[in-house]
Amino acid sequence: MGQGSVLVTGGSGGLGGAVVTAFVEAGWRVVVPERKARPGSEPPAAGLVRVVADLGEPAGAAQAAEAAASEPTAPLRAVVNLVGGYASGGLVHETPVEEFERMLTVNLRPTYLVTQAALPHLVASGGGAVVCVSARAALTPFRGAAGYSTAKAAVLAFANAVAVEYRSQNIRCNTLLPSVIDTPANRAAQPDADHSRWVTPDEIAPVIRFLASGESAPTSGATVPVYGRA
């Protein structure tokens, strides 16, 4: 029995692959927006739909949401916002405002635009779930990342606002707070770290799938730590 459709942004990223696989294996129709078409890509797995859309622009976000809601037999039931990015910098007095604002653009803007575009479709389908990804740094910042910490805190605040505004329309919104995710990019950036303490994409993906599913129906406005042992 199908679970409906889920829109997964950042589905090609280090965490995204595991999340997409988790939803496909559970019988969801998974829609993954990508900035560019992949030349010579393999035929998609059953239940996986790739669309080309720029999620940093309202038109692209609307296009992705419409694609996710376009299958009448699999109404849109969930949105998973994985798009984001990290950049280290100096202390606040050393960081140009353009670099600070770039973190807001990378982390907050796509989350806002995609959620905004998807909400009417979720309402029309009778409700559903939104899952956002913040970071532990939103609660416990570290040196040299004021822009990143602020942006991830803004994602958390936005998700909580969605939870309040759409509760009466049967739409839930919850937020994950990862520590350092064990991806190739993070290993390359921190080769001397104890990678065994990091949380893996395969550990996070089932948590996201649970928060998107009806099994977590009573839960909204939650902040869920997925730190591993980091």
Side-chain angles (χ1 to χ4, degrees):
M1 180 178 176
Q3 300 279 2
S5 293
V6 56
L7 175 60
V8 179
T9 76
S12 301
L15 174 59
V19 172
V20 168
T21 297
F23 278 104
V24 169
E25 290 179 346
W28 289 72
R29 173 179 174 264
V30 185
V31 178
V32 178
E34 297 175 334
R35 187 179 292 270
K36 297 180 181 178
R38 293 180 173 185
S41 61
E42 299 177 1
L48 176 59
V49 179
R50 298 188 185 276
V51 297
V52 177
D54 181 356
L55 302 183
E57 297 300 327
Q63 182 181 355
E66 288 164 7
S70 65
E71 178 52 64
T73 62
L76 182 62
R77 294 296 186 198
V79 176
V80 177
N81 290 300
L82 302 182
V83 167
Y86 168 77
S88 61
L91 301 180
V92 170
H93 79 279
E94 302 166 331
T95 303
V97 69
E98 292 80 8
E99 290 184 19
F100 180 83
E101 290 179 335
R102 180 175 177 273
M103 285 291 91
L104 292 171
T105 300
V106 169
N107 289 285
L108 181 61
R109 184 180 174 93
T111 295
Y112 179 84
L113 288 175
V114 171
T115 304
Q116 179 190 50
L119 281 167
H121 297 290
L122 289 170
V123 171
S125 66
V130 178
V131 181
C132 297
V133 177
S134 177
R136 182 167 63 180
L139 302 182
T140 54
F142 51 90
R143 287 170 60 93
Y148 176 76
S149 298
T150 300
K152 287 301 191 180
V155 169
L156 177 56
F158 169 66
N160 288 339
V162 171
V164 170
E165 290 188 1
Y166 293 88
R167 181 180 297 133
S168 64
Q169 291 164 292
N170 199 32
I171 293 172
R172 304 176 294 110
C173 190
N174 296 292
T175 310
L176 261 69
L177 272 65
S179 54
V180 183
I181 302 175
D182 190 359
T183 65
N186 284 339
R187 285 195 176 216
Q190 302 182 52
D192 298 326
D194 182 357
H195 303 144
S196 69
R197 300 180 67 88
W198 292 358
V199 62
T200 68
D202 287 338
E203 290 173 317
I204 297 175
V207 182
I208 291 177
R209 185 178 63 190
F210 169 72
L211 291 174
S213 73
E215 293 177 302
S216 60
T219 304
S220 190
T223 301
V224 182
V226 281
Y227 297 162
R229 295 187 298 116

